[in-house]
Amino acid sequence: MTVTETHCPYCALQCGMTLQADAADRGKVVRLEPADFPVNRGGLCAKGWTAAELLGHEDRLLTPLVRERKGGPLRPASWDEALGVITAAIRRSQREYGRDSVGAFGGGGLTNEKAYTLGKFVRVALRSSAIDYNGRFCMSSAATAANRSFGVDRGLPFPLEDVARAQTLMLVGANPADAMPPSMQHLEAGRAAGARHIVVDPRRTATARDAYLHLQPLPGTDLALANGLLHIAVREGLIDEAFIRDRTTGFDAVRAAVTGYWPQRVERMTGVSETDMRECVRLLATQRPSMILTARGAEQHSNGTDTAQAWLNLALALGLVGRPYEGYGTITGQGNGQGGREHGQKADQLPGYRRLDDPAARAHVAGVWGIDADELPRPGLSAYEMLDRLGTPGGVRVLLVLASNIAVSAPHSSRMLERLRSLDLLVVSDIFLSETAALADVVLPTAQWAEEEGTMTNLEGRVIRRRRALPPPGEVRTDLSVLKELADRLGRGQFFSDRPREVFEELRRASAGGVADYAGITYERIDKEDGVFWPCPAEDHPGTPRLFADGFPTADGRARFHRVEHRDPHETPDRQFPYVLTTGRLMRQYQSGTQTRRVKELDAAAPEPMAELHPDLARRHGIADGDWVELRTRRGAARMRARCDPGVRPDTIFAPFHWPGTNVLTDPALDPHSRMPAFKACAVAISRADGPAEAADVSASAAGIAAGAARADFGQVDELIGDGVGARGGGVRVSRTQSELDRTRGGA
Ligand SMILES: Nc1nc2c(c(=O)[nH]1)N[C@H]1C(S)=C(S)[C@@H](COP(=O)(O)OP(=O)(O)OC[C@H]3O[C@@H](n4cnc5c(=O)[nH]c(N)nc54)[C@H](O)[C@@H]3O)O[C@H]1N2
Ligand SMILES: Nc1nc2c(c(=O)[nH]1)N[C@H]1C(S)=C(S)[C@@H](COP(=O)(O)OP(=O)(O)OC[C@H]3O[C@@H](n4cnc5c(=O)[nH]c(N)nc54)[C@H](O)[C@@H]3O)O[C@H]1N2
Ligand code: SF4
Ligand SMILES: [Mo]
């Protein structure tokens, strides 16, 4: 038996866990137990407990797959053949259409080493500007706001344990009771010590139920609410004038802006009562220490950056930032959502959270990489913009996707599927045949978390180690070794390593002097210290659990206020689409569902797409709990099971995005600063449906769109998977995939 201490493969909490593996049985994990790590203290959620089930799962991809011709089936292939096809396509495309015709899409689940290598691969091996990643769909709005105010974006500027010391905790658009259940220990400890919690959510979530105050605004009106709270704080003399004077700039413009947000007006805009607003301000200002945390509910809007900014302004005006157990933070979501946004898989970024358009940053990183700074491409397009142009003139024609299932998780799926299909070559690296992999021309099987080494940076900015407990099965390789081999074949292999430790050593040097400075972090220190918080510029530097005590990494050392004004969501209800659709998560499914839909216990608990709506709204449309309903937006229609819940606003419908279908409906309108799509608010209509038939299928006419204008035809996906792949040797069982697809089409 071997015992390995590592962390959960899923979310940014990165709960510590111990794996016991049987060396005699090819490293089969026989026991998984929670560890006493500071974030989870012996707790795990249902996803963490069952994570090992996927290691030996029968759906696991075990060999590469290739599709010989568009429309033909996928069949097993050797690595040599698969990588040969990719290299040939890259060469051909770059010769004919230029370097930027080849690009990559990464993910916040990749280790730091892999995210760093992917960014470097695109800039150094492909010499292309076309790279971005799914974090753009996650916390980019809060990141943008934090960068412009604080000069740094580290989700939580303090350890999670500090949450227990806050006496007032405000959670805006965050549902940690479902999204990060073990984190609730820290909230509960706070409440036991007398803390008051305020939750801002259009739904009465499990998190809201335990709170002292639940404010239930109309989706997309958080900015008005935050400005309204600041208006009250100013009027009642509750702002911290000394802090504002000594440590910030720009407050006058904000003060002027919030005069227009008087309580009655904000009550009309948001639906939150004046009494609740006043109580909320009183608590934040006087029952200290106080913290304000935002998550996707506030941030995933076409004005998400300004909304995060409004909450940040409030925290600054109350003088919370940089004081013990106080402050503003955003709750990062994906396993390495923090590290994944620091080391260069963003279109405009170099490692260490450096800017690709900064000459000094280019010179430094080029020096570490051993290339000429002029060889580095310029910043490319953000995630949705890059995806939206796939296969179009000037757009990417050969795309590598690592660790994202965009066919399900990107907004406006019908458009996304059409763009993915128009590529000359789509390459997807995954553990399973995700909906995106099923569309690929080449599928590469990759190692899972317990089969690889690397580092992750959790929601607190704590760099931790992922450790290998067993070897990958079959012919599976790690993403690092695939990128290295592709670079070899492209004649640039001398710049790359496939050894995580070596890559980390290089990352340390590349990040040195940057905002996210890892120079002083070593694998050994991580082992000894329960992880190390960046910035950590030297090996004798203790790391930085708490930021902003002495200043801000801005030019003048002060935090910057930014004036922000309410704007309506890009789409508001009208007669044809009379309600607001918002989307999010369930406790027992993860993201696009590739992983958790394959775990028996999780699948049984949350087996099908569902929509949560108020019983009054349901009655108005003759819908009973458990009925199938059809949701329609300007982009398409999808069928789901109705769940009636009096806790949701009667004008709002909530749908999780863990199945194909929800994103057929969502609005790809982008935030002008972060390029975040409006996942959390669009206009929707609802009606009873006879059954799941054609669920997730866009019915253009039903949506009032010219026929053929929008089709998200996930149903076609199964035709693209060949028989050969179904054989055990191929490592993919078609039956399961097919039944999933059937379900999306309605069990035809
Ligand atoms: N079980 C599970 N856990 C996860 C994940 C998962 O997929 N499943 N994903 C991980 C990732 S990547 C992320 S980013 C995090 C996300 O974690 P959260 O942000 O907590 O999760 P969401 O459900 O997306 O959104 C939170 C809440 O926002 C509310 N909301 C919707 N619209 C609005 C609005 O306009 N204003 C306000 N104030 N609230 C609104 C929703 O009702 C929802 O309850 O979770 C992580 N943890
Ligand atoms: N409507 C709506 N849409 C949303 C959201 C929402 O709230 N509402 N939330 C958005 C948010 S916050 C996020 S983070 C995105 C997430 O959406 P996605 O980017 O699709 O994230 P996952 O479903 O986690 O996809 C990760 C894929 O990579 C695979 N994988 C896991 N680890 C590895 C690895 O190490 N290497 C490789 N090559 N593959 C790996 C998994 O099997 C899975 O198929 O969705 C966004 N989409
Ligand atoms: S809360 Fe997140 S990290 Fe912890 S066990 Fe659940 S999914 Fe894993
Ligand atoms: Mo996320």
Side-chain angles (χ1 to χ4, degrees):
M1 290 290 170
T2 58
V3 177
T4 310
E5 280 177 31
T6 188
H7 297 269
C8 175
Y10 299 112
C11 83
L13 197 57
Q14 284 298 292
C15 294
M17 53 170 64
T18 308
L19 302 179
Q20 245 184 63
D22 184 352
D25 195 1
R26 292 183 54 230
K28 188 173 178 216
V29 172
V30 292
R31 205 189 180 104
L32 179 158
E33 283 188 332
D36 189 22
F37 201 72
V39 289
N40 62 308
R41 290 205 188 130
L44 286 179
C45 76
K47 302 192 300 301
W49 276 112
T50 55
E53 197 177 312
L54 295 180
L55 292 168
H57 198 280
E58 56 189 1
D59 286 359
R60 192 81 197 262
L61 293 165
L62 297 174
T63 71
L65 309 173
V66 298
R67 190 188 312 284
E68 280 168 32
R69 54 183 168 79
K70 287 278 167 194
L74 278 170
R75 61 152 174 83
S78 67
W79 276 102
D80 185 53
E81 183 187 0
L83 296 174
V85 170
I86 300 170
T87 322
I90 290 173
R91 286 228 161 85
R92 193 180 330 115
S93 190
Q94 291 199 320
R95 201 169 48 235
E96 282 180 38
Y97 302 102
R99 291 194 180 121
D100 287 348
S101 69
V102 181
F105 193 87
L110 295 171
T111 59
N112 287 316
E113 290 77 358
K114 294 194 288 190
Y116 170 86
T117 302
L118 184 62
K120 180 178 171 185
F121 176 82
V122 172
R123 274 66 173 248
V124 176
L126 300 176
R127 299 189 59 189
S128 163
S129 70
I131 176 168
D132 214 66
Y133 81 123
N134 67 5
R136 200 68 81 163
F137 298 155
C138 185
M139 22 42 54
S140 61
S141 290
T144 307
N147 273 325
R148 70 185 184 188
S149 270
F150 299 149
V152 59
D153 149 41
R154 199 184 85 187
L156 295 184
F158 37 70
L160 184 66
E161 290 165 293
D162 281 12
V163 165
R165 304 284 291 269
Q167 280 294 297
T168 303
L169 173 66
M170 182 144 191
L171 291 165
V172 190
N175 181 17
D178 287 328
M180 296 179 185
S183 72
M184 295 306 278
Q185 298 174 72
H186 304 286
L187 275 74
E188 279 151 20
R191 275 199 300 271
R196 296 270 157 94
H197 292 173
I198 306 162
V199 170
V200 185
D201 197 306
R203 303 186 301 138
R204 194 164 181 77
T205 58
T207 312
R209 277 199 294 275
D210 285 342
Y212 168 75
L213 251 188
H214 174 206
L215 314 184
Q216 223 172 342
L218 181 69
T221 62
D222 297 82
L223 194 164
L225 180 62
N227 277 2
L229 299 181
L230 184 49
H231 173 104
I232 295 172
V234 171
R235 290 294 285 270
E236 299 190 357
L238 292 170
I239 57 174
D240 187 338
E241 301 278 5
F243 179 90
I244 293 170
R245 184 189 61 233
D246 298 340
R247 305 211 40 199
T248 71
T249 57
F251 184 62
D252 289 345
V254 171
R255 189 201 307 257
V258 301
T259 54
Y261 293 78
W262 59 92
Q264 297 84 349
R265 176 175 177 234
V266 174
E267 180 172 327
R268 277 197 306 277
M269 292 163 91
T270 62
V272 176
S273 76
E274 183 176 344
T275 320
D276 281 354
M277 283 189 262
R278 289 192 187 280
E279 173 69 349
C280 178
V281 175
R282 186 188 68 79
L283 286 171
L284 281 172
T286 64
Q287 184 169 308
R288 307 283 283 263
S290 297
M291 258 180 207
I292 302 176
L293 303 181
T294 62
R296 305 307 84 77
E299 301 161 7
Q300 289 173 322
H301 292 279
S302 57
N303 69 348
T305 302
D306 285 353
T307 301
Q309 183 73 54
W311 292 102
L312 204 161
N313 285 345
L314 179 65
L316 283 174
L318 295 173
L320 308 181
V321 182
R323 295 223 166 106
Y325 316 115
E326 304 207 287
Y328 164 83
T330 180
I331 305 174
T332 295
Q334 297 184 83
N336 195 30
Q338 180 69 53
R341 69 192 198 242
E342 299 165 0
H343 299 297
Q345 54 174 340
K346 270 161 89 171
D348 53 357
Q349 189 193 57
L350 287 170
Y353 225 126
R354 286 187 157 91
R355 292 177 61 109
L356 186 52
D357 60 4
D358 168 6
R362 293 169 71 87
H364 170 80
V365 174
V368 174
W369 288 352
I371 59 167
D372 194 308
D374 293 337
E375 278 183 53
L376 286 172
R378 295 280 140 192
L381 293 173
S382 76
Y384 188 78
E385 294 165 298
M386 172 168 85
L387 297 175
D388 192 46
R389 286 169 179 70
L390 295 179
T392 63
V396 166
R397 309 178 71 98
V398 174
L399 180 71
L400 266 61
V401 179
L402 271 76
S404 181
N405 186 9
I406 36 188
V408 174
S409 56
H412 195 183
S413 310
S414 55
R415 171 86 185 151
M416 202 47 54
L417 295 192
E418 178 198 300
R419 290 295 96 227
L420 289 169
R421 287 202 178 96
S422 76
L423 286 165
D424 293 341
L425 194 84
L426 172 62
V427 181
V428 176
S429 161
D430 207 303
I431 307 157
F432 298 110
L433 197 70
S434 68
E435 286 77 4
T436 311
L439 294 171
D441 303 290
V442 181
V443 179
L444 304 175
T446 196
Q448 288 195 48
W449 101 110
E451 299 158 358
E452 65 171 4
E453 293 282 334
T455 60
M456 308 281 279
T457 306
N458 79 353
L459 78 171
E460 314 166 280
R462 185 199 301 258
V463 185
I464 57 179
R465 273 187 70 188
R466 170 180 274 195
R467 298 185 187 83
R468 177 167 147 145
L470 70 163
E475 294 171 38
V476 170
R477 295 187 183 176
T478 66
D479 292 317
L480 274 189
S481 72
V482 170
L483 291 172
K484 159 82 175 141
E485 166 119 24
L486 280 175
D488 280 340
R489 287 172 183 242
L490 293 167
R492 304 284 276 181
Q494 70 272 32
F495 297 105
F496 293 86
S497 164
D498 57 3
R499 297 202 200 110
R501 212 178 247 273
E502 259 175 37
V503 175
F504 190 74
E505 292 304 310
E506 188 186 301
L507 181 160
R508 289 174 62 195
R509 282 183 282 124
S511 76
V515 174
D517 192 332
Y518 282 41
I521 306 178
T522 62
Y523 277 22
E524 286 69 29
R525 278 192 67 180
I526 296 174
D527 293 347
K528 265 201 252 111
E529 301 171 31
D530 267 353
V532 181
F533 291 80
W534 69 259
C536 180
E539 283 189 45
D540 59 2
H541 184 285
T544 317
R546 295 180 182 84
L547 294 170
F548 313 139
D550 318 310
F552 297 92
T554 52
D556 57 5
R558 289 165 175 266
R560 290 180 288 243
F561 279 97
H562 273 269
R563 174 187 180 132
V564 288
E565 297 280 359
H566 170 79
R567 285 195 313 276
D568 277 335
H570 176 251
E571 254 183 35
T572 51
D574 54 24
R575 278 171 70 188
Q576 200 183 357
F577 302 103
Y579 308 110
V580 179
L581 173 71
T582 192
T583 63
R585 291 156 171 84
L586 299 178
M587 190 195 311
R588 288 184 179 75
Q589 290 289 353
Y590 190 68
Q591 315 274 61
S592 71
T594 313
Q595 291 157 286
T596 47
R597 279 188 268 139
R598 288 183 164 81
V599 177
K600 281 191 218 77
E601 179 191 325
L602 303 177
D603 189 55
E608 60 199 2
M610 53 84 86
E612 200 177 282
L613 69 161
H614 195 280
D616 290 348
L617 193 159
R619 256 192 305 276
R620 203 175 315 149
H621 293 275
I623 297 163
D625 188 57
D627 280 353
W628 283 91
V629 291
E630 182 166 87
L631 301 185
R632 289 180 310 283
T633 68
R634 288 196 171 75
R635 289 149 298 280
R639 293 196 183 185
M640 304 174 185
R641 185 81 77 175
R643 289 274 163 254
C644 295
D645 186 335
V648 59
R649 283 179 61 108
D651 52 8
T652 301
I653 298 170
F654 170 82
F657 75 105
H658 308 301
W659 297 268
T662 297
N663 275 321
V664 165
L665 305 167
T666 48
D667 183 358
L670 299 184
D671 177 280
H673 310 289
S674 64
R675 322 309 281 165
M676 165 77 78
F679 284 125
K680 291 290 196 265
C682 68
V684 69
I686 187 167
S687 56
R688 224 179 77 93
D690 336 319
E694 291 167 67
D697 199 45
V698 169
S699 150
S701 53
I705 309 167
R711 284 195 67 77
D713 198 351
F714 285 98
Q716 273 176 16
V717 170
D718 60 339
E719 286 154 27
L720 300 174
I721 305 165
D723 286 343
V725 181
R728 284 303 279 140
V732 186
R733 268 172 63 261
V734 171
S735 56
R736 171 60 190 239
T737 310
Q738 212 140 32
S739 74
E740 273 175 19
L741 291 161
D742 283 346
R743 207 183 292 143
T744 69
R745 283 189 305 173

